[in-house]
Amino acid sequence: MPPFRLFGEKQLPTAVIFMVWSPKRDLIALANKAGELLLHRLANFQRVWSLAPNENTGKEISSVAWRPDGKVLAFSLADTSRVVLCDVEKAEVLHCFPVESPVACMHWMEVSEENSNHTSVYSAEDESNLFLTKLPAVPKSYSTTSKIFSEEKSDEIMKLLDDVRLNILVTGGSGNIIEFYAYGMYKIATSCGVPGTCQGLCLSSDLKSLSLITEIKATTNEREIVYLQLDTSLLSDYLPEVTRMARKFTHISTLLQYQKLSLTCMCEAWEDILMQMDLKLTKFVQEKNTTTSVQDEFLELLLWGKASPELQALLINQLTVKGLKKLGQSIESSYSSIQKLVISNLQSGSEALLYHLSELKGMALWKQKYGPIGLDSAKIEDAVTAVGSFILKANELLQVIDRSMKNFKAFFRWLYVAMLRMSEDHVPPELNKMTQKDIAFVADFLSEHFNEAPELYDRKGKYFNVERVGQYLKDEDDDLVSPPNYEGNPWVHFVQNSPHLKESPLLFPCYPTKSLHFVKRVMEGAIDLCLEKPAEIIGKSVKEASCITLYTTTINTSTPRLLELPSLWNEKKSGMHYVVFTMPEISSSKIYIMKRSTDFSRVVTSGLLAIDLGNLLIGNIDDRTDTCCYSCLDARFYDDETLTVVLETAEEDHRERILAQLPLNSVYINEKDFSWDPSQRLDQQSGHIPVQNVVLENQWRALDNMKAHYVAVNGIRRISCVLSSNLRHIRVFEMDVEEEEEDEKQDLQNASADLNQVEESLTSGDGSEVQEDCDTAETPDLQKENDPLLQT
């Protein structure tokens, strides 16, 4: 293997706590202590974008994971116990959800076709697009709406679903809980009772097993590092059913968010100016000295054309002709916007919800296939009923809007003419004519809406409720102030007098006294209830298959825990995975590698060995051989057969650090059996573990002028990123390139020497004076780059 080439180097102003390469692209995600998520590309290590922390999501990033296709980035937040999914192309939050306990590690895995016999599920298409119209875009003019349903592309759900093959985001933390999220969105399994704090996890691509590294507090100053392997074979055995169910769950989850955003837009379309009439009438009641009611005052103006001095002052001085005209325009505009949102967005989303829930119910009725994974047809039926009630309430709101628009138009037209006459202005001829039917219509409006209700003053701060639409959009549990009047409705009378229809499951309950927000919460609760049971059933099927206590170590708070060993690696082709760790209390010069099968029918007895770094042979390009004693600072799997490590010499006077590639194929040539005693920790049996020596030849490079400590690798792109112990100095290496010319290497060494001086100043100070040179540079657009993998 040719020597590694230094590709780029950078000093960062804020300490980095996570660095993860994209599995498909030349991009690396960095998370720093300030709560920022940064995306850099390989070319000159240039920043593509940064996502600043905000109060809605959180500020303490605790783990980062890429979706296997590299299009979505997930990061967890410890301060708010949330997981956020971010679009890599636009740095936009696509989706976020709460978790039961803060997440310490995540793994996003995609089911591989070669590891599954159920190929039929991959060729099956989602037929919902054949029966459902495309969801209308949520208007972009409303500030609080999410970008997930923007005007440019309303079907952003496909960014998360993408292709048919199932992918699962697994999260673990300190709450003894492991959670599985299909497509990174909806929870399909919750496994409880995991001991300790999860430090690393890896779900096999065939869904047969989940491997964990946990930290259990043994004593006040000691912790035990434990390896666990959980049996998740139910997911593997019912892969087609789990995939179809997960896609339905994700559709439903996204549609609920769509409904929530549509309702938010409706609330924003309803303006506070619509309350102006109610507030002015309330103030008028409080200030007037007469005993005549407001209703009588307006009726007298309607019938005789005369107004009391108090009413005339209210209309001319407070409401004004111009204000009345503006209020009429605001009401018409606001009501029209709400009406359009109900018809185009709310009803379309509800119809799509009914479709997917009905398909889910059909799946649940096939108990042989979907019963074992927890689908309950009765709970899904309750969810269908709740969606039907929401549709009824939305239709009720449409009727109230339609009636209110007609009433207000007639009322404002009459009042506008009356105020023009009071102020002795010219009345247009087209407004001067009013039929007896118009007078009766206004009289009915005054009789119904202008009744004083003193009990409202304590509840709402006003005596009147002339505007009837806003009460449907209030997110409150109180009953409607002015519920619809169903007296004389023949259908309501017929249902109430028919016991069979009253209890029929075919009729949706209508909640006549509740707001639209209340019915939405009922719908969300019913849907969540029907989707929770599969997560519980699948979670209970996850059982512990093996448990090995690796070693004990003392708690060292000065060492960052976020990037330390041990680590896990899943090898997809052979159905094996590796656990790499060191035992600092036993020997700092050995790396231990444990090989385990994801298939519990296979018994691996010779899967543990130690790589001795205490007598490491390093051959350089001049074929000289030096023997040095090294300890391992960090290690990551480069590919199925290679381990990338950062090593440090044991000499006190000369702390050399090198980046090296350890070939595992040569290590596992002569495997020796090792049988451990389950009653003892592994470190207590370390003397019996087979030891192998390796020769690095030219597969290494000295990291001059850098206190290297951590490494992140991407075997597909053949690159490594090394981070210094102060978490601010980064070097990027190309691992498989031709040897560079001497003059270029000398230039890079000079540049690294300059950066080392800056690093030393950072180590001695707070580093606040250092500024990242790319902060002022123009941020490149991923879609404009030449890299074909970044084209959308």
Side-chain angles (χ1 to χ4, degrees):
M1 182 180 294
F4 316 143
R5 182 174 75 92
L6 178 60
F7 187 83
E9 190 165 9
K10 189 169 289 293
Q11 287 282 354
L12 301 177
T14 308
V16 173
I17 56 176
F18 288 105
M19 50 183 188
V20 187
W21 283 104
S22 168
K24 297 291 185 182
R25 309 179 178 191
D26 62 340
L27 301 170
I28 187 171
L30 305 177
N32 59 30
K33 288 187 176 181
E36 289 180 295
L37 184 67
L38 312 171
L39 191 70
H40 288 256
R41 67 175 304 129
L42 181 59
N44 300 322
F45 207 76
Q46 189 176 17
R47 180 187 294 184
V48 179
W49 52 253
S50 64
L51 192 65
N54 64 70
E55 297 177 355
N56 296 327
T57 55
K59 300 180 180 179
E60 297 180 19
I61 297 178
S62 57
S63 60
V64 180
W66 286 87
R67 197 172 72 173
D69 62 359
K71 295 180 180 179
V72 179
L73 193 60
F75 60 98
S76 60
L77 298 147
D79 52 337
T80 58
S81 296
R82 300 181 73 84
V83 174
V84 180
L85 305 185
C86 175
D87 181 8
V88 174
E89 298 291 344
K90 302 177 182 178
E92 294 176 350
V93 174
L94 293 174
H95 184 66
C96 62
F97 54 87
V99 289
E100 295 189 27
S101 60
V103 173
C105 55
M106 295 191 297
H107 177 231
W108 206 333
M109 184 280 314
E110 183 178 54
V111 178
S112 59
E113 293 188 51
E114 59 269 16
N115 280 335
S116 173
N117 296 322
H118 308 289
T119 56
S120 60
V121 69
Y122 302 130
S123 59
E125 295 182 359
D126 189 353
E127 297 180 346
S128 60
N129 57 344
L130 301 177
F131 302 103
L132 297 174
T133 58
K134 185 178 179 181
L135 287 176
V138 173
K140 221 176 169 185
S141 55
Y142 301 106
S143 59
T144 61
T145 56
S146 171
K147 302 286 187 180
I148 190 170
F149 291 104
S150 60
E151 284 184 350
E152 291 87 355
K153 190 176 182 182
S154 61
D155 57 344
E156 289 289 334
I157 181 178
M158 296 312 296
K159 275 188 172 292
L160 298 169
L161 291 179
D162 205 19
D163 49 26
V164 179
R165 196 183 309 161
L166 179 66
N167 57 75
I168 298 177
L169 176 66
V170 189
T171 65
S174 58
N176 302 330
I177 294 175
I178 303 295
E179 296 179 323
F180 301 72
Y181 291 87
Y183 301 102
M185 288 191 64
Y186 209 89
K187 183 163 56 178
I188 59 168
T190 302
S191 178
C192 303
V194 177
T197 301
C198 187
Q199 296 294 334
L201 47 80
C202 181
L203 180 64
S204 64
S205 58
D206 55 9
L207 299 184
K208 291 182 178 179
S209 72
L210 174 68
S211 299
L212 306 171
I213 299 292
T214 64
E215 176 185 302
I216 302 175
K217 187 175 180 181
T219 63
T220 305
N221 297 321
E222 287 188 344
R223 60 179 182 267
E224 289 184 343
I225 305 301
V226 178
Y227 164 80
L228 291 170
Q229 197 169 6
L230 305 181
D231 184 355
T232 58
S233 56
L234 182 65
L235 290 173
S236 176
D237 296 340
Y238 290 88
L239 177 59
E241 292 78 15
V242 169
T243 301
R244 294 190 182 98
M245 182 185 71
R247 290 182 67 81
K248 286 301 173 189
F249 280 15
T250 311
H251 276 297
I252 292 168
S253 176
T254 310
L255 285 169
L256 284 176
Q257 185 178 4
Y258 179 79
Q259 296 293 76
K260 182 179 179 180
L261 296 177
S262 300
L263 195 53
T264 302
C265 290
M266 291 165 55
C267 295
E268 292 181 9
W270 186 86
E271 302 174 5
D272 290 336
I273 194 174
L274 305 182
M275 299 299 299
Q276 192 178 104
M277 179 65 73
D278 292 348
L279 297 176
K280 291 188 180 299
L281 291 175
T282 298
K283 187 177 180 182
F284 174 63
V285 171
Q286 294 172 331
E287 293 179 354
K288 73 184 183 69
N289 297 322
T290 61
T291 57
T292 312
S293 67
V294 175
Q295 185 185 86
D296 292 341
E297 296 262 7
F298 276 93
L299 285 173
E300 185 177 348
L301 177 62
L302 173 66
L303 297 177
W304 309 108
K306 295 181 180 180
S308 63
E310 291 88 350
L311 180 60
Q312 188 168 348
L314 168 70
L315 297 176
I316 300 300
N317 299 332
Q318 294 187 30
L319 191 59
T320 72
V321 175
K322 186 177 180 180
L324 180 68
K325 193 172 182 180
K326 182 180 178 182
L327 179 61
Q329 293 172 348
S330 297
I331 288 178
E332 185 174 1
S333 173
S334 180
Y335 282 3
S336 297
S337 299
I338 296 173
Q339 201 172 38
K340 289 177 183 177
L341 285 167
V342 173
I343 295 173
S344 63
N345 296 82
L346 218 58
Q347 288 186 335
S348 298
S350 299
E351 291 171 0
L353 270 175
L354 280 179
Y355 172 86
H356 289 294
L357 284 170
S358 298
E359 281 209 333
L360 200 62
K361 181 185 175 183
M363 292 159 57
L365 292 174
W366 195 352
K367 295 183 179 180
Q368 182 182 0
K369 282 187 172 291
Y370 293 94
I373 59 175
L375 278 185
D376 188 340
S377 59
K379 292 186 181 297
I380 299 174
E381 180 62 36
D382 293 339
V384 170
T385 302
V387 175
S389 298
F390 183 74
I391 294 176
L392 287 180
K393 183 57 67 171
N395 288 331
E396 180 184 310
L397 176 59
L398 285 178
Q399 295 174 5
V400 172
I401 291 174
D402 188 59
R403 185 177 179 186
S404 295
M405 288 180 71
K406 293 179 181 178
N407 290 343
F408 273 117
K409 280 183 179 179
F411 173 69
F412 283 147
R413 181 185 179 190
W414 161 73
L415 192 59
Y416 181 67
V417 173
M419 291 173 66
L420 288 177
R421 288 172 178 165
M422 287 180 195
S423 57
E424 298 181 353
D425 291 340
H426 172 68
V427 179
E430 63 272 11
L431 299 178
N432 206 14
K433 297 178 182 179
M434 196 169 186
T435 63
Q436 190 67 32
K437 185 177 180 181
D438 294 335
I439 294 174
F441 193 82
V442 174
D444 291 340
F445 176 78
L446 293 172
S447 300
E448 182 180 355
H449 292 77
F450 279 65
N451 283 326
E452 295 179 25
E455 69 276 3
L456 287 179
Y457 192 75
D458 295 332
R459 179 175 164 187
K460 302 289 183 182
K462 54 186 175 60
Y463 287 118
F464 295 90
N465 193 44
V466 177
E467 199 282 317
R468 300 291 176 88
V469 174
Q471 61 182 344
Y472 284 86
L473 304 178
K474 297 292 184 182
D475 193 4
E476 300 171 351
D477 291 331
D478 295 335
D479 292 346
L480 297 176
V481 176
S482 301
N485 185 7
Y486 290 122
E487 293 183 7
N489 188 312
W491 169 252
V492 174
H493 179 74
F494 174 66
V495 171
Q496 289 178 347
N497 292 330
S498 174
H500 298 289
L501 283 177
K502 210 180 218 181
E503 300 174 359
S504 173
L506 300 176
L507 298 181
F508 302 136
C510 60
Y511 301 98
T513 62
K514 296 298 182 180
S515 69
L516 188 62
H517 265 287
F518 177 88
V519 182
K520 178 186 75 74
R521 288 200 300 273
V522 172
M523 176 184 70
E524 291 174 340
I527 292 177
D528 287 343
L529 202 61
C530 84
L531 302 185
E532 283 176 359
K533 191 173 180 182
E536 178 184 350
I537 296 299
I538 297 176
K540 287 181 178 179
S541 72
V542 177
K543 303 296 183 182
E544 181 181 305
S546 64
C547 177
I548 304 171
T549 303
L550 300 180
Y551 59 90
T552 61
T553 181
T554 57
I555 298 176
N556 185 3
T557 56
S558 63
T559 303
R561 289 286 301 151
L562 298 175
L563 296 168
E564 276 189 345
L565 294 174
S567 63
L568 295 163
W569 168 262
N570 181 39
E571 187 178 3
K572 298 179 181 179
K573 296 180 181 179
S574 62
M576 307 293 292
H577 73 269
Y578 294 95
V579 185
V580 181
F581 57 95
T582 58
M583 297 185 191
E585 304 294 333
I586 301 298
S587 174
S588 61
S589 63
K590 289 182 180 179
I591 301 176
Y592 297 89
I593 303 179
M594 182 169 61
K595 184 165 63 172
R596 303 289 290 174
S597 172
T598 60
D599 188 354
F600 297 113
S601 62
R602 298 173 58 186
V603 179
V604 179
T605 59
S606 58
L608 179 65
L609 58 82
I611 299 177
D612 189 6
L613 304 176
N615 191 23
L616 189 63
L617 298 178
I618 298 179
N620 58 20
I621 56 176
D622 297 327
D623 294 328
R624 293 195 303 267
T625 302
D626 298 327
T627 302
C628 300
C629 183
Y630 286 92
S631 62
C632 181
L633 299 177
D634 197 11
R636 291 291 179 266
F637 275 96
Y638 184 74
D639 54 31
D640 293 351
E641 299 178 349
T642 309
L643 192 66
T644 303
V645 294
V646 176
L647 304 178
E648 180 186 33
T649 53
E651 290 83 357
E652 292 289 339
D653 55 343
H654 180 62
R655 290 285 186 180
E656 182 188 21
R657 305 194 184 193
I658 67 170
L659 178 68
Q661 299 279 66
L662 296 183
L664 297 182
N665 52 359
S666 61
V667 172
Y668 275 100
I669 289 177
N670 298 317
E671 294 188 45
K672 299 179 181 179
D673 293 341
F674 170 75
S675 300
W676 53 66
D677 184 359
S679 63
Q680 292 183 329
R681 296 193 312 268
L682 197 60
D683 58 355
Q684 296 172 336
Q685 309 171 61
S686 59
H688 302 287
I689 297 177
V691 179
Q692 298 283 353
N693 294 320
V694 294
V695 179
L696 294 185
E697 297 179 357
N698 63 341
Q699 304 170 38
W700 63 277
R701 175 168 181 152
L703 300 173
D704 299 328
N705 304 316
M706 182 184 188
K707 296 180 180 179
H709 197 107
Y710 306 106
V711 65
V713 296
N714 186 337
I716 297 176
R717 289 281 177 175
R718 301 187 179 280
I719 46 179
S720 295
C721 182
V722 180
L723 179 66
S724 64
S725 57
N726 70 353
L727 307 179
R728 291 179 177 175
H729 185 185
I730 282 181
R731 286 183 185 175
V732 181
F733 293 93
E734 285 187 305
M735 307 297 285
D736 191 8
V737 294
E738 294 299 328
E739 186 175 358
E740 297 297 319
E741 297 295 332
E742 289 298 327
D743 54 350
E744 182 180 351
K745 293 170 70 175
Q746 185 63 40
D747 292 340
L748 291 173
Q749 289 175 0
N750 294 336
S752 64
D754 295 336
L755 282 171
N756 184 60
Q757 296 177 0
V758 179
E759 180 185 357
E760 291 178 356
S761 64
L762 282 172
T763 307
S764 59
D766 59 0
S768 59
E769 72 280 358
V770 180
Q771 297 295 327
E772 188 174 4
D773 54 41
C774 66
D775 287 345
T776 57
E778 182 179 358
T779 301
D781 189 349
L782 284 177
Q783 296 179 348
K784 295 181 180 179
E785 297 291 342
N786 295 326
D787 190 348
L789 287 173
L790 299 179
Q791 301 296 326
T792 57

